[in-house]
Amino acid sequence: MTEFLQHLVNGLSVGTIYALIALGYTMVYGVLKLINFAHGDVYMVGAFSGLYLARGLGVDEHPSLWKALVVFVGSMVICGALGVIIERFAYRPLRQRPRLTALITAIGVSFLLEYGFQLPPAIGSSVPFPPGPTPRFFPEPFPRVDFEPFGVHVSNYDMVSLATAVALMFALQFVVYRTRFGTAMRAVSFDAGVAGLMGINVNRVIAWTFALGSGLAAAAALLVAGSRPTINPLMGLLPGIKAFVAAVFGGIGNVPGAMVGGLVLGLAEEFVAGYALSSYRDGIAFAMLILVLLVRPAGLFGRVRAEKV
């Protein structure tokens, strides 16, 4: 029973991270019908933004809660701004072009971020920029404390990560379904042309959608970096693909679906690795993707929409 509870806690911890990243995929797809393959790399930029801020504030020598909060919020703001810049200069000029054009551009932006961060340093400091291919150690923002309730190993980092991820998901749910911006976002998702005729600033809504999704990716990156403190320029590749699978599993374009998809994927990975073979941990995501596409192509909560030809 203790082993089962340990896997349950670990699975929920990983699943909430996937859910946070998957929300970015699903929101962007909802408003633009675009699969933003650069989203996993925005997640990576979030981790490095946190590293630069942490070194600037001296978190290594004097960790504290307020410094952790500044690093967390600052990284979300930086990645939110990056998301807006990517949308403005990479995707917006292609909005009226075939979707394949924007999809290829997203892959190009992904490579630009991944390999741009591996270039030789141009600015020297304690952490040079770009950081280069060498993995970097992410400092602990506050002291780690371990607990073992009922024999299950949990640290204060696990509890803070889980609570923060759940709070951010509920906050996003409130924004999408209880605010004017959320109403405008859902209107643009339904029909951007009609939403524009009704007086909604479509460009602004799409830009803020990118900012929200990118901010959540940064939050996920910092929650991971705090508990698994090694980051590198390719760290967003696999989590980004898995989060995309989670978004498809839940029904891409559906916010609750992305949350459920992320949690299911995290739990499936953990239980497969714990009770079957650990080498199948990464394969389970792609097995789920194939299964979903065969049985229910629109995902658990998605609906098939007929397209006019």
Side-chain angles (χ1 to χ4, degrees), residues 139-301:
E140 288 190 345
F142 49 87
R144 178 181 295 273
V145 181
D146 294 323
F147 305 94
E148 286 199 2
F150 307 105
V152 178
H153 179 267
V154 183
S155 73
N156 57 343
Y157 275 82
D158 296 322
M159 291 190 284
V160 168
S161 295
L162 187 61
T164 306
V166 172
L168 285 173
M169 286 190 280
F170 276 107
L172 178 66
Q173 187 80 351
F174 177 81
V175 168
V176 172
Y177 293 102
R178 293 287 186 273
T179 65
R180 291 186 64 182
F181 170 72
T183 304
M185 192 165 71
R186 284 182 285 128
V188 171
S189 170
F190 189 75
D191 192 320
V194 174
L197 291 174
M198 298 297 290
I200 294 173
N201 189 328
V202 175
N203 287 335
R204 184 181 299 169
V205 169
I206 292 174
W208 274 106
T209 302
F210 269 82
L212 270 178
S214 301
L216 290 175
L222 292 179
L223 294 178
V224 171
S227 55
R228 303 169 186 83
T230 302
I231 62 175
N232 65 77
L234 298 179
M235 63 177 284
L237 187 59
L238 198 53
I241 293 174
K242 289 182 178 179
F244 169 66
V245 172
V248 173
F249 181 83
I252 194 161
N254 186 297
V255 171
M259 297 180 192
V260 173
L263 292 174
V264 170
L265 180 60
L267 289 170
E269 273 191 9
E270 184 62 30
F271 281 110
V272 166
Y275 291 108
L277 288 173
S278 59
S279 55
Y280 287 171
R281 174 188 286 272
D282 294 332
I284 189 67
F286 301 100
M288 286 177 63
L289 177 62
I290 294 169
L291 190 65
V292 169
L293 292 177
L294 286 174
V295 178
R296 192 174 170 79
L300 284 182
F301 298 93

Side-chain angles (χ1 to χ4, degrees), residues 37-143:
F37 279 117
H39 191 61
D41 300 292
V42 173
Y43 163 87
M44 174 272 293
V45 174
F48 275 100
S49 302
L51 177 63
Y52 286 112
L53 288 172
R55 290 288 170 83
L57 291 170
V59 171
D60 304 51
E61 296 83 11
H62 304 290
S64 67
L65 196 57
W66 77 265
K67 288 182 180 177
L69 190 62
V70 171
V71 169
F72 196 83
V73 175
S75 299
M76 290 182 71
V77 171
I78 290 171
C79 279
L82 176 64
V84 172
I85 291 170
I86 291 173
E87 188 278 328
R88 177 63 185 85
F89 294 103
Y91 300 146
R92 191 180 299 181
L94 305 174
R95 203 176 289 168
Q96 304 305 323
R97 302 289 180 84
R99 289 180 191 173
L100 185 61
T101 309
L103 187 67
I104 294 171
T105 304
I107 295 171
V109 173
S110 170
F111 284 152
L112 179 67
L113 292 174
E114 283 177 12
Y115 293 101
F117 268 63
Q118 296 186 67
L119 290 173
I123 302 174
S125 66
S126 59
V127 183
F129 182 83
T134 307
R136 302 282 175 178
F137 177 75
F138 195 93
E140 288 190 345
F142 49 87

